[in-house]
Amino acid sequence: MTHSPTIDDDLEDLIACPTCDALYRVAAPGNGERAVCARCHHVLIAPVEGAILRVVALALTVVILLVTALFMPFLSIEASGLHNATSIFEAALAFSRAHMVVLSLAVISLIIFIPILRALLLIYVLTPLMLRRRPWPGARTAFRLSEHLRPWSMAEIFVLGVGVALVKITAMAHVELGMAFWLFALLVVVTVFQDGYLCRWSIWHALEESPDPEAPMSIAQPDEVHAHG
């Protein structure tokens, strides 16, 4: 029995811009080029040679930074002879003492547990691809979950918020930044690089097709899209 082309077959060759919903037909690109939507200039595909290894390394770095910063001093404040120092974990537990357990769990989850979980999911998904092996069981579900968690991973937003608050506090009290603060600041840089190397379409493409151990992984780029070196 021969297989005849269907509408689903045509849809597999299309890519939609997540910003403006423009449709493009996919074609093979070269490493180092970017596929950009001609309408809104959103980057659709950005293959980079060795990107998988870099994303795995950066995700592992995220886990190490967050676990290390959890119990280390975050900042200390001294005003009118009173001194107080706290860590991220102690700051989150402070809400629970005021019968706000839900808020305490939300804070620690958004700035610690969810970023760690997302990094671990990326490591689980990308490690077999990095080793040129078949994806591990549940890899698609794990990557889909990591993408759903991305808007809720707010460690870097927390650091920016603290930085803005410190501008006002320093005028009223003496503030000393602990090691955990600088680890979170480093986390912002690591996250920026990780998102820059992470080409989501390429990962989905690699999960759907088993990689060839003898050849480098190919990543496609849509037709009629501006490619920039």
Side-chain angles (χ1 to χ4, degrees):
M1 180 176 179
T2 60
H3 175 74
S4 58
T6 63
I7 296 178
D8 292 336
D9 295 330
D10 294 334
L11 292 178
E12 292 180 357
D13 296 331
L14 298 177
I15 181 173
C17 175
T19 302
C20 67
D21 295 328
L23 288 176
Y24 301 95
R25 191 168 298 277
V26 179
N31 282 324
E33 295 183 341
R34 297 186 305 166
V36 182
C37 177
R39 180 185 298 174
C40 67
H41 306 294
H42 179 84
V43 178
L44 302 176
I45 307 173
V48 178
E49 187 175 0
I52 292 181
L53 175 60
R54 297 175 189 177
V55 172
V56 171
L58 292 172
L60 183 59
T61 303
V62 169
V63 175
I64 295 173
L65 289 175
L66 288 173
V67 172
T68 304
L70 183 57
F71 299 101
M72 297 187 68
F74 185 77
L75 57 82
S76 61
I77 301 178
E78 183 176 356
S80 302
L82 300 177
H83 179 272
N84 187 27
T86 185
S87 65
I88 296 294
F89 189 73
E90 292 172 343
L93 291 181
F95 293 107
S96 63
R97 299 191 188 109
H99 306 289
M100 302 177 67
V101 179
V102 175
L103 179 59
S104 178
L105 292 176
V107 170
I108 201 70
S109 297
L110 293 174
I111 64 178
I112 296 291
F113 295 145
I114 290 180
I116 289 178
L117 176 59
R118 181 170 180 261
L120 292 176
L121 289 172
L122 287 176
I123 293 173
Y124 179 84
V125 172
L126 297 180
T127 297
L129 302 182
M130 179 181 64
L131 300 175
R132 303 297 181 185
R133 297 178 180 177
R134 292 181 180 275
W136 287 334
R140 297 183 185 179
T141 302
F143 186 63
R144 185 177 294 108
L145 178 58
S146 71
E147 287 297 286
H148 288 323
L149 292 177
R150 184 160 60 97
W152 300 99
S153 180
M154 299 185 178
E156 61 275 14
I157 297 177
F158 168 73
V159 176
L160 295 176
V162 170
V164 173
L166 288 178
V167 174
K168 298 181 179 180
I169 295 177
T170 51
M172 300 179 292
H174 176 68
V175 179
E176 292 185 2
L177 303 177
M179 181 60 68
F181 178 87
W182 299 112
L183 291 177
F184 266 83
L186 180 59
L187 177 67
V188 175
V189 179
V190 172
T191 302
V192 170
F193 277 102
Q194 178 182 274
D195 290 339
Y197 287 124
L198 187 63
C199 180
R200 293 165 181 83
W201 188 93
S202 303
I203 294 175
W204 281 119
H205 182 71
L207 292 175
E208 292 173 358
E209 298 183 6
S210 299
D212 183 0
E214 302 298 331
M217 187 180 302
S218 61
I219 306 173
Q221 174 182 345
D223 287 338
E224 302 178 6
V225 181
H226 301 300
H228 301 281

